[in-house]
């Protein structure tokens, strides 16, 4: 194993597009597991653009991540809400919907929940 590894999401191991061209998930995978960069385009919403892929009523992934740019609102199944923006650390448990706020893509890095995210059921 190398002491230093440099990789780019622009040359991801796998890319999973969202429905209607509303973004994508780029995954890098190593022995420690996957790390993902998601680009959520304006107008993206989990229920519209990932639910048809996942086949669940709400997002079942637990996310631990960092918002690089853009803004996103997350609503838990129990009604709890939070908005995230550039520089925010996010931790979100399974059972939620989410959507992009404003007219800028929302870019999120996630090192916990993207391994099976937007993967056909």
């Amino acid at each position: 194993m190398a002491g230093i590894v440099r990789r780019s999401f622009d040359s991801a191991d796998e890319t999973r597009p969202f429905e209607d061209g509303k973004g994508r998930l780029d995954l890098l995978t190593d022995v420690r597991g996957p790390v993902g960069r998601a680009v959520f385009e304006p107008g993206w919403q989990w229920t519209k653009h990932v639910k048809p892929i996942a086949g669940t009523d709400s997002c079942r992934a637990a996310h631990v991540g960092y918002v690089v740019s853009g803004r996103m609102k997350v609503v838990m199944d129990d009604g709890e809400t939070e908005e995230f923006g550039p520089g925010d650390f996010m931790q979100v448990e399974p059972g939620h919907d989410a959507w992009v706020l404003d007219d800028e893509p929302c870019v999120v890095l996630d090192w916990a929940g993207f391994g099976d995210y937007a993967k056909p059921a």
Side-chain angles (χ1 to χ4, degrees):
M1 176 188 239
I4 297 175
V5 175
R6 179 178 176 262
R7 300 188 61 202
S8 172
F9 284 108
D10 294 332
S11 299
D13 296 322
E14 182 180 359
T15 296
R16 298 179 191 155
F18 302 142
E19 295 283 314
D20 300 327
K22 286 295 184 178
R24 71 185 184 283
L25 169 62
D26 300 314
L27 283 174
L28 297 175
T29 304
D30 72 4
V31 296
R32 292 177 184 90
V35 176
R37 173 186 70 180
V39 178
F40 304 100
E41 296 294 339
W44 175 90
Q45 183 172 3
W46 187 91
T47 53
K48 295 176 185 172
H49 303 104
V50 180
K51 179 179 179 174
I53 300 167
T56 57
D57 288 336
S58 60
C59 181
R60 304 313 305 161
H63 301 288
V64 178
Y66 176 80
V67 180
V68 176
S69 61
R71 299 191 54 76
M72 178 177 285
K73 183 171 186 171
V74 178
V75 178
M76 301 299 295
D77 290 348
D78 69 3
E80 181 182 2
T81 67
E82 188 60 73
E83 291 185 13
F84 297 96
D88 285 344
F89 168 82
M90 62 188 305
Q91 186 170 346
V92 180
E93 294 301 318
H96 57 272
D97 190 8
W99 55 89
V100 171
L101 300 171
D102 306 321
D103 293 326
E104 177 185 354
C106 183
V107 178
V108 177
L109 301 177
D110 187 320
W111 50 91
F114 279 168
D116 291 325
Y117 191 82
K119 194 173 189 177

